[in-house]
Amino acid sequence: MNLALIALIAVCESLGVGLIGLVVLRLLRDYPVGYSLVAVIIITVGAINTSTVTAVLLERSAELPAGVVLAVVLIAGVVAVGIGLLLGRSVMNGSRQLADATRSLGLQQRFRQPEDLPSAEFAELARELWITSDKLAESRRREAESRRREQALDASRRRLVAWISHDLRSPLARLRALTESIEDGVVDDLRDYCGKIRADTEILSGMVDDLFELSRIQSGVLNLSPRQVALDDLLSDEVAALGVVAGERGIGLRARTIEPVVVDVDDRAITRVFNNLLGNAIRYAPEGSAVTVDVRATAGWAAVSVSDECGGIPEADLDSVFDMGWRGEDERTFGSSGGGLGLAIVQGLVHAHSGTVSVRNVPGGCCFEVRLPLSAR
């Protein structure tokens, strides 16, 4: 038997052992990496020993020279070492894939979980990195959302300061003119002047009250005294009280659907909520139009809707309606005062009662809806 044939047999045996090793490593992917490393060592040694045993048996049967046996063993050893390196490389590839995927986290990218990892530890590490990647992505999303909220709040504050400054200037200028006229003795009807001074003072007092209320809401020091309140009765009283104001503007204010509902609320705070909503509706509704109020109980909530026929709110402004300092274009045109705090106060007071407030456009106008939890008692 010549050397080439013996070498071929040794190489084939080593390759056969190597193929068996690949199958073994595939089966060990769900086990700790130590099992795979031990398997690589055993397979490499086994490939060398198999060829060595074959060479020894052939030497005994064919009385081969020692040099031939040594050459066969060396060839088998080289092949076995190569197989060991290839098998070990499959284990190292998993580590390299994880390292490459982990670098993506530093680039603010989502973790891409490698496929076909060689061991249970690598698979578990990949899962943990994937979970960490999701948490980092969520954290970045919240941070970006927080920055957007801060920017929106900052813009609202700047807008609020601008409008407050504008609204303060007009009554203060009138008060100055009136007091100067009184001082100069050019007043024909002192009673009329006192009435005008009182009206401007009430405007300023209302603005101060709004600012104080909003500061308490935002600072979290709002003190509420909830008790059981029949919301249908409260709304009926509000409609009756504001009906005169609405009639003076030629607006019909009516309660359309009033169901008996009971909620646990601070009646003073909730009265202010609906006072603001109804007052806004009356202010913006054109003469000859109607403002309607509905009170219903639905799925554990008391739903109060205030609808008007103001023509609707621009879609681009719907998300800003409850921001501090926001006021519609109509209000700027009419020159009304208040700094745009009414709806911001409404939202703060409703949220303080674990409720929600929203606005949507309806045919011919808009609808504000307040939802409050029904009383559990």
Side-chain angles (χ1 to χ4, degrees):
M1 186 176 294
N2 59 32
L3 176 61
L5 182 57
I6 296 174
L8 179 60
I9 292 172
V11 170
C12 289
E13 288 180 340
S14 298
L15 291 176
V17 175
L19 291 175
I20 294 173
L22 286 176
V23 174
V24 171
L25 287 181
R26 296 285 294 181
L27 296 175
L28 291 175
R29 283 182 304 172
D30 296 331
Y31 293 90
V33 69
Y35 288 27
S36 298
L37 295 176
V38 171
V40 170
I41 295 172
I42 292 174
I43 291 165
T44 303
V45 174
I48 297 174
N49 289 340
T50 300
S51 300
T52 302
V53 170
T54 300
V56 170
L57 292 176
L58 288 174
E59 178 188 11
R60 289 181 178 179
S61 62
E63 296 183 356
L64 296 176
V68 174
V69 176
L70 181 60
V72 170
V73 172
L74 288 176
I75 293 171
V78 171
V79 173
V81 170
I83 292 172
L85 292 176
L86 288 174
L87 296 177
R89 184 181 178 185
S90 68
V91 177
M92 296 303 297
N93 278 340
S95 175
R96 185 164 54 252
Q97 289 175 354
L98 280 178
D100 293 340
T102 304
R103 291 190 191 97
S104 65
L105 294 178
L107 300 175
Q108 293 191 350
Q109 299 176 359
R110 297 296 290 270
F111 177 75
R112 299 183 300 276
Q113 188 167 355
E115 298 179 356
D116 198 23
L117 292 172
S119 71
E121 282 104 332
F122 286 170
E124 180 63 24
L125 179 57
R127 283 193 294 269
E128 291 297 328
L129 289 173
W130 182 74
I131 293 172
T132 302
S133 173
D134 272 2
K135 290 180 179 179
L136 288 174
E138 179 66 15
S139 176
R140 286 194 290 265
R141 185 190 66 79
R142 291 181 178 177
E143 184 180 355
E145 185 177 343
S146 177
R147 283 199 298 269
R148 286 194 296 270
R149 285 199 301 266
E150 288 177 1
Q151 291 171 356
L153 184 58
D154 187 53
S156 297
R157 286 170 177 164
R158 288 197 299 269
R159 188 165 56 243
L160 174 62
V161 171
W163 278 108
I164 289 293
S165 300
H166 173 272
D167 290 344
L168 284 174
R169 190 176 296 115
S170 297
L172 286 175
R174 289 194 297 268
L175 286 172
R176 179 180 297 171
L178 291 170
T179 54
E180 288 177 351
S181 297
I182 293 173
E183 288 176 348
D184 294 341
V186 295
V187 176
D188 296 328
D189 188 349
L190 183 60
R191 186 180 184 85
D192 178 58
Y193 273 61
C194 289
K196 292 178 180 178
I197 291 174
R198 181 182 181 85
D200 284 331
T201 302
E202 289 178 351
I203 291 175
L204 294 175
S205 178
M207 293 175 64
V208 171
D209 288 344
D210 285 348
L211 286 171
F212 179 67
E213 187 78 2
L214 191 61
S215 68
R216 290 201 306 162
I217 292 172
Q218 292 188 336
S219 62
V221 297
L222 185 65
N223 293 321
L224 299 177
S225 300
R227 64 180 185 85
Q228 282 194 333
V229 174
L231 203 57
D232 50 316
D233 290 342
L234 187 148
L235 264 298
S236 297
D237 292 344
E238 282 296 297
V239 169
L242 293 174
V244 177
V245 178
E248 291 175 352
R249 292 180 56 87
I251 297 168
L253 176 61
R254 62 189 179 90
R256 185 168 49 188
T257 303
I258 302 293
E259 296 181 0
V261 291
V262 177
V263 291
D264 293 319
V265 294
D266 184 305
D267 54 349
R268 183 197 66 83
I270 290 302
T271 297
R272 181 162 193 174
V273 166
F274 295 119
N275 220 313
N276 284 3
L277 291 178
L278 290 172
N280 277 354
I282 293 170
R283 183 181 302 117
Y284 292 128
E287 186 176 353
S289 64
V291 174
T292 58
V293 179
D294 297 290
V295 183
R296 296 185 178 90
T298 173
W301 294 87
V304 180
S305 300
V306 177
S307 304
D308 60 32
E309 299 174 359
C310 67
I313 299 171
E315 292 294 330
D317 289 342
L318 282 176
D319 292 335
S320 305
V321 166
F322 298 101
D323 291 347
M324 290 188 304
W326 182 88
R327 299 198 298 189
E329 293 295 331
D330 288 343
E331 189 168 1
R332 297 181 189 182
T333 302
F334 299 148
S336 61
S337 60
L341 301 180
L343 292 178
I345 291 173
V346 165
Q347 185 184 57
L349 292 176
V350 172
H351 286 178
H353 286 86
S354 301
T356 62
V357 58
S358 60
V359 61
R360 66 181 185 277
N361 284 325
V362 295
C366 63
C367 174
F368 286 84
E369 184 177 78
V370 174
R371 285 177 171 259
L372 297 167
L374 289 174
S375 176
R377 290 173 287 179

